[in-house]
């Protein structure tokens, strides 16, 4: 019973953390990011960038962006995720840091733009 209680408390902490992040993302107005290039930025991309601001992330990988799109948008298709990530990272809000064989890393510059 003690083991189960510990497991449930850990799960509760995870859920509370996730809820806090979602509340932070939904509480951001978008003014925190210069979204003047709205032609290339749809509402899903804005949600992902708001999540980056809420999390205080500066460097992100493809896996990070996939997780953010799945967690904050309705996108599930692998092909759509690939296209959205390619489009988002091509904006001025991201700077390529490292293109590796296994992973690529960008620096989120959304707050500086």
């Amino acid at each position: 019973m003690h083991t189960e209680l510990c497991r449930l408390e850990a799960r509760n902490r995870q859920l509370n953390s996730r809820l806090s992040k979602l509340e932070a993302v939904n509480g951001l107005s978008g003014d925190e990011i210069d979204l003047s290039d709205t032609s290339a930025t749809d509402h899903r991309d804005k949600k992902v960038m708001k999540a980056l601001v809420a999390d205080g992330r500066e460097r992100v990988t493809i896996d990070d962006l996939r997780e953010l799109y799945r967690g904050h948008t309705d996108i599930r298709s692998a092909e759509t995720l690939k296209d959205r990530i390619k489009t988002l990272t091509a904006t001025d809000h991201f700077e390529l840091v490292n293109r590796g064989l296994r992973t690529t890393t960008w620096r989120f510059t959304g707050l500086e733009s």
Side-chain angles (χ1 to χ4, degrees), residues 35-71:
L35 296 173
S36 57
D37 184 15
T38 54
S39 61
T41 310
D42 82 356
H43 68 281
R44 293 172 189 96
D45 298 336
K46 291 176 185 176
K47 280 284 195 184
V48 169
M49 288 194 289
K50 285 181 180 184
L52 289 169
V53 171
D55 288 351
R57 293 192 196 191
E58 183 178 323
R59 292 179 184 250
V60 292
T61 64
I62 291 173
D63 289 339
D64 295 333
L65 291 170
R66 276 190 202 114
E67 180 182 321
L68 289 169
Y69 271 104
R70 286 185 175 131

Side-chain angles (χ1 to χ4, degrees), residues 9 47 51 54 60 72 75:
E9 287 173 342
K47 280 284 195 184
V60 292
H72 295 283
I75 298 173

Side-chain angles (χ1 to χ4, degrees), residues 62-86:
I62 291 173
D63 289 339
D64 295 333
L65 291 170
R66 276 190 202 114
E67 180 182 321
L68 289 169
Y69 271 104
R70 286 185 175 131
H72 295 283
T73 72
D74 59 347
I75 298 173
R76 297 295 177 265
S77 162
E79 194 61 35
T80 304
L81 279 169
K82 180 180 171 185
D83 291 343
R84 291 302 335 144
I85 290 169
K86 184 176 180 180

